[in-house]
Structure formats: C-alpha cells, structure tokens
C-alpha cells in the first residue's frame, strides 16, 4: 500500500518516480512557501520532506515512528519521528490554511458548511487521579468544514478544543474561501440574522432551513422566500465528505496537544483534496 501511495516502481512506463514527492513540492511552490520555515534553524531537511511525511502518516494511518522508518526504508530521507512530532504542533496555522487553499483554488458555485466531532486520545487514569479529576472526561474535537458540492473538495476548515455553537465558525469559514460561491447551503444550526446579513453583503445567497418560531428579520424573510428544496438537498454532499474523511483516515485523532490535532485535521483535508485531484495515485490495487 505504501509503495502504491508513493508511486515507486508501480508503472514501468512512468518517466518520473516518486510522483507524490513531486506533487508535494509543486503544492509548496504554488503556496509561495520557503524551502525552510526557520531561517536560523538547521537546514538538513526541507519543508516538503516534513509535509510529505505528515501526509503519508495520515493516509497510511501510521505513527510518527513508523512513518519515519517506512519512508527512510523506501529511500526517501525524512526527519526522525521526534522532529516530525515537533514540526506538527509548531507549524503555524496560517501555513496550513495556505496549503489547503491551494488544493481548493477552484471556482465554486454552491458550497455547504457543517460541523462534526472527532474523538481524542485520553490521558492515563493515573494522570487524572493525580490532578484530582473524574475519569474519563471525553470532550470531542470540534471540526467545522466548508465543502464544494460539485467537486467535494474541502474549501475551509476550523477546529476547536471546546464545545461551541456551529454559527460561531460560519463567518470564519466563508472568509477563508479562495473564491466566494454564489450560494451556501446549511442546516438550521446556521439560521442567524447576522450571518444572513454577512452573506448578503458579500453577494452570497444563503439556502438555510429556517427554525420554527424564529424571529422574522428582514434578511431572514428574504432567505425564506428564496428557499429552494432542490438546492438545499445538496447539503447531503458535506455529510458524505465527512463520512468519507472519517472512513479513510479514522474518526479520532491520536495527538494530545491541540495544535498537533489541528495539524492532523489539516493534513487529512489536504490529503482528501489531493486524492480527488490525483485519484489514481492513491487508490489501492483492488487485487492486493
């Protein structure tokens, strides 16, 4: 599976090996990122080597140690597992956002937004006993997504360590779009007069199911008047994308620090978009 993923020795007629390496390098060039993030740090490894290892880690569902050992055994020099773990939670979120935007730089007509939860690894019961806390205390990682309903690419992403209402991340997701869509579909959790005003100011038509007994504001009245059942049914696309991401990469995150958990989700979103662009490079042989 890993050999198939990396594209090493799969197709005899292929001129260039390590196709995923070339795609990761091209992705970094399009994002306008430097070869090394820290100008004063060690220059042994470049940014593409870290990013390649993190993407393979998510695609193959491996630990940092197994990912580093696997890629080095395949002839690809990557940092050690400890360096990968430090890079994952130290990398600024702005760079993750830039990389995701490059993979989703397409013209969007109808976008859908929704949120989901990812289970997180819990500390040991002994640690909870030391800090005098009840065990277990399971607060899932909240993930809000925006998806193009035509190509099924993830357009924007936001994670939260604590519980929060879905509407709190709505404006943030729209502001992260590379190009604004014509319409946005969402469920009743995004029924908000202020959110409607924000969309109308940006010339975006909201297709949202109005809550019962909701205050009939000026913009909400126009939303209800322009509501289309056929377009609203495209909201199921984002449910399909969420299910696909959880099925391929798992329904939980393995990191303990929030910044590393955020890096995991961005890696999964980037890998998901890359899979849609180059589906043949990631698909496993059905005969294997």
């Amino acid at each position: 599976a890993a050999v198939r993923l990396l594209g090493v020795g799969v197709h005899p007629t292929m001129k260039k090996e390590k196709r995923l390496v070339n795609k990761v390098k091209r992705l970094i060039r399009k994002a306008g990122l430097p070869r090394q993030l820290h100008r004063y740090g060690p220059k042994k490894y470049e940014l593409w080597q870290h990013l390649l290892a993190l993407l393979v880690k998510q695609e193959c569902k491996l630990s940092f140690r197994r990912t580093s050992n696997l890629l080095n055994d395949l002839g690809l020099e990557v940092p050690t597992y400890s360096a990968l773990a430090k890079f994952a939670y130290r990398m600024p979120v702005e760079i993750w956002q830039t990389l995701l935007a490059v993979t989703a730089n397409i013209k969007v007509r109808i976008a859908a937004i929704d949120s989901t939860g990812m289970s997180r690894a819990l500390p040991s019961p002994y640690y909870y006993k030391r800090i005098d806390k009840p065990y277990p205390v399971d607060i899932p990682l909240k993930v809000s997504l925006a998806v193009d309903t035509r190509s099924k690419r993830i357009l924007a992403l936001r994670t939260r360590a604590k519980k929060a209402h879905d509407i709190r991340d709505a404006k943030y997701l729209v502001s992260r779009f590379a190009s604004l869509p014509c319409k946005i579909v969402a469920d009743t959790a995004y029924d908000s007069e202020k959110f409607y005003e924000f969309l109308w100011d940006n010339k975006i038509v909201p297709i949202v199911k109005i809550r019962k007994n909701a205050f009939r504001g000026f913009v909400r009245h126009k939303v209800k008047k322009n509501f289309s059942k056929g377009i609203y049914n495209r909201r199921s696309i984002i449910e399909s994308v969420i299910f696909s991401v959880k099925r391929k990469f798992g329904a939980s995150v393995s990191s303990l620090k929030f910044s590393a958990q955020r890096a995991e989700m961005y890696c999964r979103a980037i890998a998901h978009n890359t899979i849609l662009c180059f589906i043949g490079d990631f698909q496993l042989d059905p005969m294997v």
Side-chain angles (χ1 to χ4, degrees):
V3 175
R4 175 77 178 188
L5 171 65
L6 294 171
V8 179
V10 177
H11 300 288
T13 59
M14 184 177 57
K15 295 182 179 180
K16 294 183 179 180
E17 295 182 348
K18 304 175 184 177
R19 292 172 296 171
L20 183 59
V21 174
N22 297 329
K23 291 178 176 62
V24 172
K25 290 182 178 180
R26 192 180 306 117
L27 175 65
I28 294 176
R29 287 197 300 268
K30 287 184 178 180
L33 299 177
R35 296 177 64 181
Q36 286 91 12
L37 288 182
H38 202 291
R39 58 181 298 185
Y40 299 111
K43 302 298 188 295
K44 183 177 180 180
Y45 299 105
E46 298 181 8
L47 177 60
W48 71 266
Q49 293 170 299
H50 290 85
L51 183 59
L52 171 69
L54 293 179
L55 291 177
V56 172
K57 176 184 181 296
Q58 295 301 323
E59 176 67 20
C60 299
K61 301 179 183 179
L62 302 176
S63 63
F64 287 108
R65 188 190 297 269
R66 293 181 63 190
T67 301
S68 179
N69 293 338
L70 173 64
L71 294 180
N72 282 295
D73 291 342
L74 292 175
L76 295 174
E77 188 178 359
V78 296
T80 60
Y81 68 94
S82 58
L84 290 176
K86 291 179 182 178
F87 178 84
Y89 69 80
R90 288 180 178 177
M91 187 168 176
V93 64
E94 292 79 11
I95 296 182
W96 290 119
Q97 294 170 348
T98 302
L99 291 172
L100 180 60
V102 170
T103 62
N105 189 14
I106 56 176
K107 186 177 181 180
V108 182
R109 182 174 177 270
I110 302 176
I113 57 176
D114 203 355
S115 64
T116 185
M118 306 290 292
S119 59
R120 295 189 278 188
L122 295 176
S124 65
Y126 175 72
Y127 173 76
Y128 274 92
K129 185 178 180 180
R130 279 175 48 199
I131 63 177
D132 194 22
K133 294 291 185 179
Y135 184 84
V137 181
D138 188 11
I139 301 177
L141 179 71
K142 181 179 176 61
V143 182
S144 298
L145 300 170
V147 174
D148 176 25
T149 59
R150 183 181 61 85
S151 64
K152 297 184 179 180
R153 295 193 194 183
I154 298 177
L155 304 174
L157 169 71
R158 192 173 197 183
T159 57
R160 285 184 178 270
K162 298 182 180 180
K163 296 180 180 180
H165 198 276
D166 294 350
I167 195 61
R168 294 185 60 182
D169 297 329
K171 291 183 180 180
Y172 174 86
L173 294 176
V174 177
S175 63
R176 298 304 310 177
F177 288 175
S179 60
L180 293 179
C182 300
K183 300 177 181 179
I184 284 184
V185 294
D187 56 14
T188 55
Y190 297 91
D191 178 26
S192 170
E193 182 73 12
K194 292 184 179 180
F195 181 50
Y196 294 154
E197 293 176 356
F198 171 77
L199 294 180
W200 280 101
D201 291 341
N202 289 277
K203 299 180 180 180
I204 303 175
V205 179
I207 308 296
V208 183
K209 196 171 183 179
I210 306 298
R211 292 178 286 111
K212 294 182 179 179
N213 302 323
F215 172 74
R216 296 298 178 86
F218 176 74
V219 185
R220 184 180 278 115
H221 176 74
K222 293 196 295 184
V223 171
K224 185 176 181 180
K225 183 179 180 181
N226 297 327
F227 181 80
S228 173
K229 182 66 175 178
I231 298 178
Y232 179 76
N233 289 337
R234 298 191 63 82
R235 195 186 67 84
S236 61
I237 300 296
I238 192 171
E239 300 287 353
S240 176
V241 171
I242 292 174
F243 173 76
S244 176
V245 171
K246 289 186 176 181
R247 178 174 54 83
K248 288 183 293 188
F249 306 111
S252 62
V253 289
S254 58
S255 302
L256 295 179
K257 292 189 176 182
F258 171 71
S259 56
Q261 295 170 358
R262 179 178 59 197
E264 281 193 48
M265 294 309 304
Y266 271 102
C267 281
R268 295 180 185 185
I270 294 171
H272 170 79
N273 291 350
T274 308
I275 290 171
L276 295 178
C277 296
F278 311 102
I279 190 69
D281 295 342
F282 287 83
Q283 280 184 333
L284 299 180
D285 191 344
M287 299 301 293
V288 176

